[in-house]
Amino acid sequence: MRAFVYGLMATAAVWCGTAEAQQKTLYVAAYGGSFEQTMRKEIIPAFEQKHGVKIEYVAGNSTDNLAKLQAQKGNQQIDVVILDDGPMYQAVALGFCSDLAKAPIYDDLYDLAKMPSNKAVNFGAVGTGIVYNKKVFEENKWPAPASWTDIEDAKYKKKLVIPPINNSYGLHALVMMARLNGGGEKNIEPGFKEFRDKINPNVLAYEPSPGKMTELFQSGQATIAVWGSGRSKALADTGFPAAFVYPKEGGIVLASAACAIQGSKQPAEAQQFIQHMLMPEAQKSLAVSAGFGPVNKKVELTPDQQVGLPYGPEQMSKLLVVDWDTINANREAWNKRWTREIER
């Protein structure tokens, strides 16, 4: 009897070892911070259970993860990459992304989600606009900011915070200032002039770190900022009196995109994972826990869950889109000029 039991145990051990050996591993490179926590707790477990796949999460910002793809060219270790929309356009142009597999889920998405190349898809959106300390504004009897040009008002001297233009929020501000003064992505000169002459005197810091931006608001040093709807929501969720507005000229969409990597060792599972992130359940989790406006039309959020997010066909249609092809072709030169003329 004992020999029989040992035999069963040995057989079970071999079977388990074989099952483990056969389990596929999918490497997903994406943002860290609160996004990573949402992915690990609410998105990844359901996918692993359904598909019998183990996901290894590679945390990093968009710049870092794009650099990883470039370093691994010809021998990719990443199967799915998640990047901001601007860097994703670069990833597509550099040939890192496979065509998206056809699936019914893509019929449920807003047009804003679909990239022209069909090699990547936007799975969530936030809007770039203006964040302000509602309590300070009420105490000073200041009207809520309503226009992009409001950040030029002298009453915000050394109270304004803007990320630099190697960050999408700062870049969006530069583009909008160019557009409002006769230029645009193809003529950025008016944007630089507006920053140099009218906005710079008000700037306390060109701050790229979300954590430090939050500290500047909480310490009372910052009163107003160019920032994202998702960041504003996260700040407000701490109990801070943060309010967010889309300027009357329009907010700019900052989308987060996913693509399956060309040369992935798990191409089918990579496509399935992207589709999983677009399902209503995952989209709702990304909205409620991570502050991403859902791109799936079938997602339903309560009024409280909608606060601070771009949500529904009306808001999605009003978000402006920038010309990333033109921006990416000039961004290095703009960054150098920014360092030389603005943030010096």
Side-chain angles (χ1 to χ4, degrees):
M1 180 67 179
R2 183 178 297 173
F4 175 72
V5 172
Y6 285 157
L8 281 178
M9 291 173 64
T11 302
V14 171
W15 184 85
C16 288
T18 304
E20 283 187 12
Q22 289 177 343
Q23 186 181 45
K24 294 180 178 180
T25 300
L26 195 71
Y27 289 85
V28 176
Y31 316 123
S34 60
F35 181 85
E36 179 180 356
Q37 296 308 310
T38 299
M39 292 288 283
R40 288 187 181 278
K41 293 177 182 177
E42 302 180 40
I43 309 297
I44 289 174
F47 182 82
E48 289 180 326
Q49 185 174 7
K50 180 178 180 180
H51 295 277
V53 175
K54 173 66 177 174
I55 288 183
E56 290 290 343
Y57 196 95
V58 182
N61 62 33
S62 294
T63 303
D64 292 339
N65 286 331
L66 182 58
K68 289 186 182 83
L69 294 180
Q70 292 171 309
Q72 296 170 5
K73 190 172 184 179
N75 183 29
Q76 291 295 346
Q77 305 300 309
I78 294 169
D79 300 296
V80 175
V81 70
I82 288 172
L83 305 171
D84 289 348
D85 47 6
M88 185 59 81
Y89 272 86
Q90 290 179 291
V92 168
L94 291 167
F96 292 128
C97 298
S98 299
D99 289 334
L100 293 172
K102 291 183 179 180
I105 190 66
Y106 293 113
D107 296 331
D108 297 336
L109 308 184
Y110 293 110
D111 288 343
L112 174 147
K114 301 166 187 176
M115 288 190 168
S117 64
N118 194 45
K119 291 180 180 292
V121 61
N122 294 323
F123 64 84
V126 296
T128 299
I130 298 174
V131 183
Y132 65 100
N133 185 325
K134 191 174 180 180
K135 183 172 181 289
V136 170
F137 271 66
E138 289 173 351
E139 289 172 349
N140 286 280
K141 295 183 170 54
W142 293 340
S147 167
W148 283 101
T149 58
D150 285 349
I151 63 174
E152 300 171 352
D153 194 314
K155 66 173 172 278
Y156 304 133
K157 186 173 183 178
K158 299 305 177 186
K159 291 290 185 181
L160 170 66
V161 185
I162 303 177
I165 66 165
N166 59 5
N167 178 295
S168 293
Y169 299 123
L171 178 68
H172 289 169
L174 177 66
V175 169
M176 281 307 302
M177 288 304 167
R179 289 185 182 185
L180 294 176
N181 290 278
E185 291 90 327
K186 295 185 185 300
N187 176 19
I188 205 67
E189 182 64 35
F192 273 96
K193 186 176 188 303
E194 203 74 5
F195 262 89
R196 186 176 59 247
D197 298 344
K198 297 183 179 180
I199 298 173
N200 241 354
N202 289 346
V203 174
L204 170 68
Y206 289 104
E207 180 52 63
S209 165
K212 289 181 181 177
M213 181 84 88
T214 297
E215 289 176 10
L216 289 171
F217 268 107
Q218 292 175 333
S219 68
Q221 294 173 269
T223 298
I224 186 170
V226 174
W227 218 14
S229 56
R231 297 296 186 190
S232 175
K233 181 179 185 299
L235 179 57
D237 286 346
T238 68
F240 186 84
F244 178 85
V245 295
Y246 290 115
K248 63 184 181 182
E249 300 89 352
I252 297 182
V253 66
L254 171 57
S256 289
C259 87
I261 298 302
Q262 187 75 35
S264 164
K265 298 174 179 63
Q266 313 294 350
E269 290 76 11
Q271 297 283 350
Q272 290 165 352
F273 185 73
I274 292 172
Q275 293 162 22
H276 174 72
M277 291 186 67
L278 297 169
M279 295 294 180
E281 298 82 1
Q283 288 274 291
K284 187 170 184 177
S285 291
L286 289 167
V288 174
S289 300
F292 285 84
V295 298
N296 187 316
K297 299 173 186 176
K298 295 184 177 180
V299 175
E300 295 185 5
L301 301 178
T302 67
D304 285 346
Q305 291 170 339
Q306 295 173 29
V307 174
L309 302 179
Y311 174 76
E314 183 178 355
Q315 287 191 18
M316 287 293 184
S317 66
K318 287 182 178 178
L319 286 173
L320 304 174
V321 178
V322 296
D323 178 359
W324 280 114
D325 288 332
T326 297
I327 289 171
N328 286 333
N330 292 281
R331 196 163 185 178
E332 184 178 353
W334 292 356
N335 286 341
K336 290 178 180 177
R337 182 177 176 186
W338 178 270
T339 303
R340 187 173 65 248
E341 296 183 17
I342 309 299
E343 194 181 350
R344 49 184 179 174

